[in-house]
Amino acid sequence: MLVNRRTLRIEWGQCDPAGIVFYPQYLIIFDSSTGWLFERTGLTPLAMRRKYGIVGMPIVEVSARFVKPCRFDDEVVVESEIGEWGRSSFTVRHRLFRNGELALEGFEKRVWAAPHPERAGEIRAQAIPEEIVASLSDPTGATTIAPDKTTSSAI
Amino acid sequence: MLVNRRTLRIEWGQCDPAGIVFYPQYLIIFDSSTGWLFERTGLTPLAMRRKYGIVGMPIVEVSARFVKPCRFDDEVVVESEIGEWGRSSFTVRHRLFRNGELALEGFEKRVWAAPHPERAGEIRAQAIPEEIVASLSDPTGATTIAPDKTTSSAI
Amino acid sequence: MLVNRRTLRIEWGQCDPAGIVFYPQYLIIFDSSTGWLFERTGLTPLAMRRKYGIVGMPIVEVSARFVKPCRFDDEVVVESEIGEWGRSSFTVRHRLFRNGELALEGFEKRVWAAPHPERAGEIRAQAIPEEIVASLSDPTGATTIAPDKTTSSAI
Amino acid sequence: MLVNRRTLRIEWGQCDPAGIVFYPQYLIIFDSSTGWLFERTGLTPLAMRRKYGIVGMPIVEVSARFVKPCRFDDEVVVESEIGEWGRSSFTVRHRLFRNGELALEGFEKRVWAAPHPERAGEIRAQAIPEEIVASLSDPTGATTIAPDKTTSSAI
């Protein structure tokens, strides 16, 4: 799989009176890290919505295990990659390191979701385009997708 | 003016490593307190949007002065009222007390905004309905508005 | 087990551009709901720290499953209870309902943590006092603890 | 004055159901931008605390004026600089641009605060070290301070 790495610095406002990161802040980092991973396809979030007609990738499950606390001003590295591909859902695996040591790890399970064809305002899971799978499965990151606005034949 | 009072308890996740409330959290409290003040009209946010065709009350200015810090588990009282009515804008004045002492005060300036009639996706300031002004200007809170779905003649 | 129920209204600032609650916000609700559950012992967070010499109840694991989205202004009910007692750790089970239907459920695993007796700045898991277990295991909520400042013999 | 520039991308979780940034999020950006500006002195937050014996730079006032909304995935530039130096307080001026246009501007007023010499747990404003003023007043950014741990003679 393609691993996306981000280097972040823990901010004052992410920490609690114990001086460590308030844990829901890590889930905010998970969410944006999934966004950056998918951008490695070559498509911005908006381009992805236009190209495939999706409304987004809503979460259906999240889990995290906290190993070591992080503190204000710590430099941390977040590594994100697809854990598993389903037909219309997938997991993103996130690991966060501080000084090279694992501080926490977890996963998000999300759905590739398009507007429901019959029920207005509702969504429906849809098959993940093959080219998305191919792009994020390529560890070199070289398999990117052109951000055109036509409907992809992969759907 | 009608003063809306809320009693809140400061939560762990609102506080920073100095043990005091991280200041942007107070602005989140301002935002929701404005919402609760307007609910005193008798209209939910959704009912207000339907009745008057507005998209919301976007912020154009905010200001706050911090007098005393608040800490985890402090019980605080927030008092919110209209500071000033303009034609299509208004200010909401917020004060937050702990143990009866002023901890901070500030105001938000917001606009009564409807979709722009010509430019899609844009908004336009609109005259605030007289009945909204009347309701929130009544210190007794007795002047409420029925949440029907017809267009108000006050617009 | 004792079930603590809170009724909350979803706020504007908790929702994302899809109009639904941004998922990390639910974990903030988990965190504060655990706080309110433990307050059913009769002890405030501060009183609990003083009485038992703990630094808090740091998280070691969290998991959530999202069933239905919640939106701005939705009234939701959060039910929290102990899922399982370990010697020095425990799980809190949270369920969030909208219109009586399950919207999400999850759990937090936390540790009863005191300062490490030898290593400054570090913490150590410690046996959960029996009276805490008794209090939160009593479904009637009638088993409360006096908030004195003496060290409990239950440790 | 030294202007610190940061380029950020607006994240999904910073935006509200109107599709624009939820305004308290801008204050979180102010807070971290002030942190990055002060790091241009050559001192990390921790080094600054050690060198000068301060507890931090608590906020006493904040103000912001919102000109244009920003949306998910917008690339924005934040420019931060000292607005005014007092003896023991100062303002930081922040401006945020999108596509080269001003989206919002504001300021924070903060205090250079040390522990109170007599009253435990309280703080006291203290004269800002001359070398801090010199460093952040130098528009070239070339005037930096060595992060030693001895007490500065500038206090």
Side-chain angles (χ1 to χ4, degrees):
Chain A
M1 294 294 171
L2 172 63
V3 178
N4 191 60
R5 277 182 193 80
R6 304 170 68 196
T7 299
L8 302 172
R9 210 181 55 159
I10 299 300
E11 294 179 3
W12 181 255
Q14 294 177 309
C15 298
D16 68 17
I20 63 177
V21 173
F22 180 56
Y23 90 79
Q25 294 285 346
Y26 289 121
L27 290 309
I28 298 178
I29 293 174
F30 279 12
D31 184 80
S32 60
S33 295
T34 294
W36 286 108
L37 173 63
F38 273 76
E39 223 155 295
R40 296 291 294 277
T41 59
L43 301 173
T44 64
L46 191 58
M48 198 171 283
R49 278 151 207 243
R50 279 188 187 145
K51 189 176 181 87
Y52 302 114
I54 57 170
V55 295
M57 306 181 295
I59 192 122
V60 291
E61 194 179 340
V62 71
S63 186
R65 196 171 64 86
F66 305 93
V67 182
K68 289 177 180 297
C70 296
R71 293 183 164 76
F72 171 48
D73 214 35
D74 280 350
E75 190 173 284
V76 300
V77 174
V78 185
E79 293 188 356
S80 305
E81 63 185 307
I82 297 296
E84 202 173 351
W85 290 112
R87 183 189 156 276
S88 58
S89 69
F90 56 92
T91 60
V92 183
R93 182 187 183 200
H94 302 284
R95 282 178 299 175
L96 191 148
F97 298 90
R98 196 199 53 206
N99 295 333
E101 289 187 312
L102 184 71
L104 74 139
E105 61 180 348
F107 71 87
E108 296 174 310
K109 185 176 181 181
R110 291 174 177 268
V111 169
W112 190 262
H116 195 286
E118 284 142 35
R119 280 173 278 168
E122 295 192 23
I123 61 175
R124 191 172 63 168
Q126 199 164 345
I128 304 165
E130 284 172 26
E131 63 200 31
I132 292 285
V133 175
S135 176
L136 296 180
S137 299
D138 175 1
T140 71
T143 310
T144 57
I145 305 168
D148 63 53
K149 297 177 184 179
T150 63
T151 304
S152 164
S153 60
I155 303 186
Chain B
M1 294 295 170
L2 172 63
V3 177
N4 190 62
R5 277 183 193 77
R6 306 168 68 195
T7 299
L8 302 173
R9 209 181 55 158
I10 300 298
E11 295 177 4
W12 180 256
Q14 293 177 308
C15 298
D16 68 18
I20 63 178
V21 173
F22 180 54
Y23 89 81
Q25 295 286 346
Y26 289 121
L27 290 307
I28 298 177
I29 292 174
F30 278 13
D31 184 80
S32 61
S33 296
T34 293
W36 285 108
L37 173 63
F38 273 76
E39 215 148 307
R40 296 290 294 275
T41 59
L43 300 173
T44 64
L46 191 57
M48 197 171 284
R49 279 153 207 241
R50 279 189 188 143
K51 190 176 180 85
Y52 303 115
I54 57 170
V55 294
M57 307 181 295
I59 192 122
V60 291
E61 196 179 339
V62 72
S63 185
R65 197 171 65 85
F66 305 93
V67 182
K68 289 178 181 297
C70 296
R71 293 184 164 73
F72 172 48
D73 215 34
D74 280 349
E75 190 175 283
V76 300
V77 175
V78 185
E79 293 187 357
S80 305
E81 64 185 306
I82 298 295
E84 202 174 351
W85 290 113
R87 182 188 157 277
S88 58
S89 69
F90 57 92
T91 59
V92 183
R93 183 188 183 198
H94 303 284
R95 281 178 300 175
L96 190 148
F97 299 90
R98 197 199 53 207
N99 296 333
E101 289 187 312
L102 183 70
L104 74 139
E105 63 181 347
F107 72 87
E108 295 175 310
K109 183 175 181 182
R110 290 174 177 268
V111 169
W112 190 262
H116 195 287
E118 285 142 33
R119 278 173 278 167
E122 295 193 21
I123 61 175
R124 191 171 65 168
Q126 199 163 344
I128 304 165
E130 284 173 25
E131 62 201 31
I132 292 285
V133 174
S135 176
L136 296 180
S137 299
D138 175 0
T140 70
T143 310
T144 57
I145 305 168
D148 62 53
K149 296 178 184 179
T150 62
T151 303
S152 165
S153 60
I155 304 187
Chain C
M1 294 295 170
L2 172 62
V3 178
N4 191 61
R5 277 183 192 77
R6 306 168 67 196
T7 300
L8 303 172
R9 210 181 54 159
I10 299 300
E11 295 178 3
W12 180 256
Q14 293 177 309
C15 299
D16 68 18
I20 63 177
V21 173
F22 179 55
Y23 89 80
Q25 294 286 345
Y26 288 121
L27 290 308
I28 298 177
I29 293 174
F30 279 13
D31 184 80
S32 60
S33 296
T34 293
W36 286 109
L37 173 63
F38 273 77
E39 217 148 307
R40 296 291 293 278
T41 58
L43 300 173
T44 64
L46 190 57
M48 197 171 283
R49 279 152 206 241
R50 279 189 188 143
K51 191 176 179 85
Y52 302 114
I54 56 169
V55 295
M57 306 181 295
I59 192 121
V60 290
E61 195 179 340
V62 71
S63 185
R65 196 171 65 86
F66 306 94
V67 181
K68 288 178 182 296
C70 295
R71 294 184 163 73
F72 173 48
D73 216 34
D74 279 351
E75 190 175 282
V76 301
V77 174
V78 185
E79 292 187 356
S80 305
E81 64 185 307
I82 297 295
E84 200 174 354
W85 289 112
R87 183 189 156 276
S88 58
S89 69
F90 57 92
T91 60
V92 183
R93 182 188 184 201
H94 303 284
R95 282 177 298 174
L96 191 147
F97 299 89
R98 198 199 52 208
N99 297 332
E101 290 187 311
L102 183 70
L104 74 140
E105 64 180 347
F107 71 86
E108 295 174 311
K109 184 175 181 182
R110 290 174 178 269
V111 169
W112 190 262
H116 195 287
E118 285 142 32
R119 278 173 279 167
E122 295 193 22
I123 61 176
R124 192 172 63 170
Q126 200 164 345
I128 304 164
E130 284 173 24
E131 62 201 31
I132 292 284
V133 174
S135 176
L136 297 180
S137 298
D138 175 1
T140 70
T143 310
T144 57
I145 305 169
D148 62 53
K149 296 177 184 179
T150 62
T151 304
S152 165
S153 60
I155 304 186
Chain D
M1 294 294 171
L2 172 63
V3 178
N4 191 61
R5 278 183 193 79
R6 305 169 68 195
T7 299
L8 302 172
R9 211 181 54 159
I10 300 299
E11 294 178 3
W12 180 256
Q14 294 177 308
C15 298
D16 67 18
I20 64 178
V21 173
F22 180 54
Y23 89 79
Q25 294 286 346
Y26 288 122
L27 289 309
I28 299 177
I29 293 174
F30 279 12
D31 185 80
S32 61
S33 296
T34 293
W36 286 109
L37 173 63
F38 273 76
E39 224 158 293
R40 295 291 293 277
T41 59
L43 300 173
T44 65
L46 190 58
M48 197 172 283
R49 277 151 207 242
R50 280 189 187 144
K51 190 176 181 88
Y52 302 115
I54 57 171
V55 294
M57 307 181 295
I59 192 123
V60 291
E61 194 180 339
V62 71
S63 185
R65 197 172 64 85
F66 305 94
V67 182
K68 289 177 181 297
C70 296
R71 293 182 164 77
F72 172 48
D73 214 35
D74 279 350
E75 190 175 284
V76 301
V77 174
V78 186
E79 292 187 356
S80 304
E81 64 185 305
I82 298 295
E84 202 172 351
W85 290 111
R87 182 188 156 277
S88 58
S89 69
F90 57 91
T91 59
V92 183
R93 182 188 184 199
H94 302 284
R95 284 178 298 176
L96 191 148
F97 299 90
R98 197 198 53 207
N99 295 333
E101 289 188 312
L102 184 70
L104 74 139
E105 62 181 347
F107 71 86
E108 295 174 311
K109 184 175 181 182
R110 290 174 177 267
V111 169
W112 191 262
H116 195 286
E118 284 141 34
R119 280 173 277 167
E122 295 194 22
I123 61 174
R124 191 171 64 169
Q126 198 163 346
I128 305 164
E130 283 173 26
E131 63 200 31
I132 292 286
V133 174
S135 176
L136 297 179
S137 298
D138 175 359
T140 70
T143 310
T144 56
I145 304 169
D148 61 53
K149 296 177 183 178
T150 63
T151 303
S152 164
S153 59
I155 303 186

